[in-house]
Amino acid sequence: MSKASFELFRGQLLGAKLYLPLQALAVAEEAHEGVFRKDGVTPYIEHPMKVASLLFDLGCRDETVLSAAILHDVIEDSKITIIDLDNKYGLPTGNGLLGDVSRLSKNNYDTTEEYYAEIQKSPVATIVKLADRCHNLSTLYNFTDEKKIKYLQETETYVYPLIKYAQHHYYEYSSLVRIFDLWIESLVSNIKSCMKLDK
């Protein structure tokens, strides 16, 4: 995502009067400053920005969803804590945002099962996780084959059931869930095909 794309997304949020995601964006930029993705070239901030802009482009205007998408890796991948988000940065606690950011932080759990079970409890965390999985699957070329296989296995073991649960419980996000379901399935199929893995 170029600087122009950053500014476009900021402008879209401002134009839509989505001030909480703008505040979250400032926090995420500070948290991920100087950090790069696995390729060692792409600034890490591009990932949460793309996850949030994907949701925005699909019509999501829910400030909590967009803010959680922007902040979803802050606790896991920076020195900022949930307490900091509340006390230092003044993010609101009443709308469930900080709880959802905490749910999306893998380092809060002992097992992958616990992580996904907690995400499943929240429609916001669920929809952010599905958008996150779409973006990560689309950039899986940065991974070794071994890590690709592990990531695909996690998708099939935990993300597919999460999608199924969301389809039956989170009707307010049914359109987004359906899009992510088809998208994830297509990405997994393409990756398997490229790797010549059995479908």
Side-chain angles (χ1 to χ4, degrees):
M1 189 176 274
S2 65
K3 184 170 177 58
S5 297
F6 282 157
E7 295 309 317
L8 173 62
F9 185 53
R10 281 196 187 92
Q12 288 173 319
L13 293 175
L14 187 59
K17 298 182 179 178
L18 298 172
Y19 302 119
L20 181 58
L22 282 167
Q23 184 182 359
L25 189 55
V27 174
E29 285 185 290
E30 179 182 328
H32 298 303
E33 186 177 4
V35 180
F36 295 88
R37 296 210 78 197
K38 292 186 190 306
D39 62 5
V41 177
T42 307
Y44 196 88
I45 189 62
E46 287 197 17
H47 169 61
M49 284 277 291
K50 285 188 176 179
V51 172
S53 63
L54 168 62
L55 287 160
F56 186 91
D57 289 345
L58 290 172
C60 178
R61 298 297 182 270
D62 184 313
E63 288 197 275
T64 303
V65 172
L66 294 170
S67 299
I70 291 166
L71 296 169
H72 79 271
D73 279 338
V74 163
I75 305 305
E76 188 174 323
D77 294 325
S78 82
K79 294 180 180 178
I80 293 175
T81 67
I82 284 290
I83 294 171
D84 291 333
L85 292 179
D86 181 9
N87 294 341
K88 181 178 178 183
Y89 297 99
L91 289 167
T93 56
N95 63 356
L97 172 61
L98 299 188
D100 286 311
V101 172
S102 182
R103 278 188 174 92
L104 290 158
S105 303
K106 277 188 177 178
N107 55 2
N108 286 339
Y109 307 97
D110 293 326
T111 66
T112 304
E113 288 84 358
E114 289 177 10
Y115 173 62
Y116 279 95
E118 196 61 30
I119 286 174
Q120 184 177 284
K121 294 177 184 177
S122 164
V124 170
T126 295
I127 207 67
V128 170
K129 187 64 193 178
L130 297 183
D132 172 56
R133 184 59 45 140
C134 282
H135 183 247
N136 280 333
L137 283 168
S138 71
T139 60
L140 212 59
Y141 56 84
N142 293 322
F143 289 34
T144 63
D145 283 353
E146 183 181 348
K147 286 188 177 179
K148 285 178 188 173
I149 291 169
K150 185 176 179 182
Y151 202 77
L152 292 174
Q153 287 172 339
E154 181 181 318
T155 301
E156 293 174 340
T157 304
Y158 299 105
V159 177
Y160 285 172
L162 184 63
I163 291 169
K164 187 170 285 294
Y165 184 88
Q167 287 170 336
H168 293 286
H169 293 87
Y170 299 139
Y171 303 114
E172 66 271 39
Y173 297 116
S174 59
S175 296
L176 286 172
V177 171
R178 180 62 178 152
I179 290 167
F180 292 142
D181 180 19
L182 293 171
W183 202 341
I184 290 169
E185 190 176 325
S186 175
L187 286 165
V188 167
S189 178
N190 287 340
I191 293 164
K192 283 184 172 183
S193 178
C194 290
M195 294 182 69
K196 296 182 168 44
L197 297 173
D198 290 334
K199 295 182 182 180

